[in-house]
Amino acid sequence: MSSFVAWRLRDNVDPALAPRADGGGRSEVERQDATRRRSEAIAEPERRDVDPRWAEAWAQVVAELPDASRLDQAQATRELLETGVDVSVLRARVQARAQKRVARAAKRSRSRRPQ
């Protein structure tokens, strides 16, 4: 069992993050500062480059469908990139999806009402 634990520690723990028994010759303030910097580096979200085609399509869809939900805008952007259809066609699809969602929600609320 101890060899399994040792293997897991070796495999899953970064030795650089482990505290040193001798303090590593650093003061408490230096250790706290290093810990804070590591925590901030871990918490920092990874920046990804946005595809310029997606950014252009997103801007077009948001301009044409400002009242649509973000979900509908994202789906319309995906459809625009995949199919290349006109935004007016996408507007009709977005409205149809919204009507279906409203109908489903109304049906669910009717079925939950006590009779």
Side-chain angles (χ1 to χ4, degrees):
M1 180 73 160
S2 63
S3 63
F4 175 72
V5 171
W7 173 78
R8 295 289 295 186
L9 285 173
R10 227 182 6 261
D11 205 41
N12 294 330
V13 176
D14 183 2
L17 297 178
R20 293 184 178 161
D22 63 356
R26 297 186 299 180
S27 71
E28 181 65 25
V29 173
E30 290 172 327
R31 283 193 300 274
Q32 288 176 353
D33 188 45
T35 302
R36 181 188 50 77
R37 279 185 272 121
R38 278 194 306 268
S39 296
E40 289 171 355
I42 291 170
E44 182 72 25
E46 182 180 327
R47 294 282 181 187
R48 295 185 214 160
D49 293 332
V50 176
D51 181 2
R53 288 184 30 214
W54 173 267
E56 182 181 330
W58 175 257
Q60 182 181 358
V61 166
V62 169
E64 293 290 329
L65 305 170
D67 296 332
S69 69
R70 300 268 296 185
L71 173 63
D72 286 332
Q73 290 172 341
Q75 289 174 337
T77 302
R78 181 187 49 83
E79 288 180 40
L80 179 64
L81 289 173
E82 287 178 356
T83 62
V85 297
D86 190 46
V87 177
S88 61
V89 174
L90 294 175
R91 182 180 296 116
R93 290 179 185 173
V94 165
Q95 289 171 348
R97 280 194 299 260
Q99 289 173 350
K100 286 180 183 178
R101 275 196 305 273
V102 169
R104 281 193 307 264
K107 185 177 178 180
R108 279 195 307 267
S109 68
R110 280 194 305 268
S111 66
R112 290 181 185 162
R113 250 188 270 160
Q115 297 189 9

